[in-house]
Amino acid sequence: MWKLICYEWKKLAKSRSNLLLFVVLLAACAYQIKTNVTTDIKDYYFVSDEHLDVVKEQQNFANKSFEELQKQMGAIHYNEIDQEHYNSSRSLDENYMKVTYGTHWKELVKAYEEHTLTQEMLNDWNVMSQDDTQQQSIVRLEDFTIHYLYTDEREVSDLKAMFPDTVILTNRQDYLYTKEKAEQGSTQCFLKECNGFNAMYYDTLNTRFLNASKTYHPTILANKYFDEIMRVNFLVLLLISILLGNIYSKESSEQTMIYLCTSKAGWKKVSIAKLIVALTIGVLIPMLIPIISSLVNYLRYGGFDLQMFYYGIGDVSANSIVPYIFTNGELLIIACFALLVGYTALTLTCLTISRYVKNTYIAGVSVLMLTILPIYNIFTLQSTNLNVWFPSYLLMRIFDNLGYTSQLFFQFGSITILRLWLYVLVWFLGCGICLLLIHQKNKKHLI
Amino acid sequence: MELKTHHLSKFYTKEKAAVADVNLVLQEGIHALLGANGSGKTTLMRMLCGILKPSEGIVTFNAKNIMENYEEYILHLGYLPQNAGFYMNFTVIEFLQYIAVLKCLEADYAKRKIDELLELLHLKEQSKKKLRQLSGGMLQRVGIAQSLLNHPKLLILDEPSSGLDPKERIALRQLLSRLAKDTIVILSTHIVSDIENIADDILLMKEGHILFQKTVTDTLQELKGHVYELLTAENEREIIEKNYTVVNCKRVSEGILFRLLSDDMKDKRSIVVEPTLDDVYLSYFHEEAEYVETNLL
């Protein structure tokens, strides 16, 4: 077997263009490792166990544990109004309510919470509001909302005092605020306005909200190195795709497939040799980037820079929440696993295309499309994360179109939710189908 | 040792069979598969190799279905495909070593065999050259070498003489004659001179059908008395070409010397001559020959 693997490497290395691509790939990986270990963003991403303990203690102090809250959640039937009653870290914004609804605001709130508020009450108490034309008018029942303040802002202040160099924000912004509101720096939330989700996700979102509102994360600052990391990562993906696209299609286009078809070694062994080479290029080499970077950081700073594993998977701000939910060890396993799934999926997809497309150029273009699509997405949709890189991106879009999920669902922070495992499972199935397709094609002995 | 096909057919489209109901029994010796381009030779050979699934029928080697015993069958098979591809960045020796690995040959045996074949096929001097640096004829010899690496009991060669110069073709014939003692050699070609002196029998293929399987002597015997030579004046050319199948015409000082095929020769100037395989070929592929000739003119 090792001889077959050696010859597969030889086939790639003997071609000058492939050799050049491979050298560029290694250079890009080396550059990325260098960038990872020299960039100053590590100060923001670095999470020590000691730091974690302090935050966890704060969380316990601040409110009930996640498990207890979950128990409460399980017993409640959720609807849009009910959501508002189950965040114990909120209180009414009395000043706002007084200014907006006048002297009878307390009665109005009571009636609203008891579901007894009527339009007549609003009329009787002459509750006025300003419409778009700046004209005073009686508030309509359906427009009546309660304005909250979040009591955990006090905790934010405590944390700010504790970690003066770190910017602390509540995670609510990531989950329930619209992006625009979050960007304006608002720390208030009208739950009624958080209606960007399908009803079927309310329970999940609410659970996450309750959990997330008691956790804190350092805000990710824009960093000049960050864009560079992204670009190199795409270059790595592109180079990998082109190299993998060659593996089978070159045999077809140069009519050498016949030797493999009529070999005693058999398709199975030849395919395994090709698969091992493909996985080395498509999985092992890119995986070495975060592993080596982390090891270097560990040796230099005495801890793992776990963020190294994330930027290929999900939204940065969502990633930074997870250190407060998982231990470093758990995170390392999850991160490696998620990267493995992603890279394996990419590798097998490229290999399948390469097996079915007989023309090297068509295979090259098809495989390039696979990695160019995310770039298109990044530049056109202003996305700044790599969770859009192709296999997962395509799948996400399919799920989106089916109305099955929202962007939030795929964020790395949601790893605790069962549905993410469905996502991983689907990718495993996808990988299995790719292998099956290659096997089926080989089994036919057809050239 | 026996290779048999049982009602072997291959349909690429519903209307027309590329190979239609072929029944063959082949034993040790050289079997020449003769036919025009597109007659189904390559399709038949690929099915015999097991790399193309027949639409109907089976192939058996020593009474065992090759598709059911493919791993065992492949041990005995040597195959040179038509227009064989190569790993052009490999050297000759690297290519043969890789094929030896694919054929699971012992390292020592492979080394000896590669040396032997390089010597035999006059490739010793080119052994360290990259395949892309070799001429078409040399590449063809490398292709033949790879097919012989595992000392096959069944050797299938699809157009092996294409690209070879006359000297190399003679060497190939000698090599095949030597191998034929204990090997089933199936050789496809449309160059009849390649097989005239070495083939034990001829399988004539046309439009997917095997028209006959006969020894060279029997094949020639069949055409005896139907091949003529006729010396005519230049101005009779058109009439001759209209009335007879012209195998060859040669300008001589007295006029034009035609070699003709005819069942009913009326011209008393003609002389009966001994038939060759070219005559046999043309008697069956008359239409294709006419087409080619018309195009050339």
Side-chain angles (χ1 to χ4, degrees), chain A residues 321-336:
Chain A
I321 187 178
V322 286
Y324 304 106
I325 300 172
F326 299 103
T327 66
N328 279 2
E330 284 167 344
L331 270 178
L332 198 66
I333 293 166
I334 293 166
C336 285

Side-chain angles (χ1 to χ4, degrees), chain B residues 255-268:
Chain B
I256 297 178
L257 182 64
F258 285 98
R259 188 178 177 90
L260 306 168
L261 293 178
S262 175
D263 293 333
D264 184 25
M265 175 56 80
K266 285 169 186 161
D267 197 320
K268 289 185 180 168

Side-chain angles (χ1 to χ4, degrees), chain A residues 91-103 105-106 108-109 127-130 139 143-149 181 188-190 193:
Chain A
S91 64
L92 281 170
D93 186 350
E94 295 188 6
N95 286 336
Y96 179 91
M97 296 299 285
K98 204 180 286 177
V99 170
T100 311
Y101 299 125
T103 49
W105 70 270
K106 281 186 181 173
L108 287 168
V109 169
V127 180
M128 306 295 282
S129 75
Q130 283 188 336
V139 170
D143 294 335
F144 185 86
T145 51
I146 298 176
H147 205 190
Y148 290 99
L149 278 177
K181 278 186 175 294
Q188 297 171 329
C189 179
F190 293 95
E193 290 177 14

Side-chain angles (χ1 to χ4, degrees), chain B residues 127-158:
Chain B
S127 65
K128 291 197 174 134
K129 274 190 182 169
K130 282 195 172 180
L131 289 170
R132 66 165 70 255
Q133 296 171 313
L134 302 186
S135 67
M138 285 176 190
L139 279 178
Q140 192 69 354
R141 280 186 275 154
V142 175
I144 294 165
Q146 68 77 26
S147 68
L148 295 171
L149 263 178
N150 57 332
H151 194 82
K153 288 179 181 171
L154 172 64
L155 183 62
I156 298 179
L157 306 170
D158 200 351

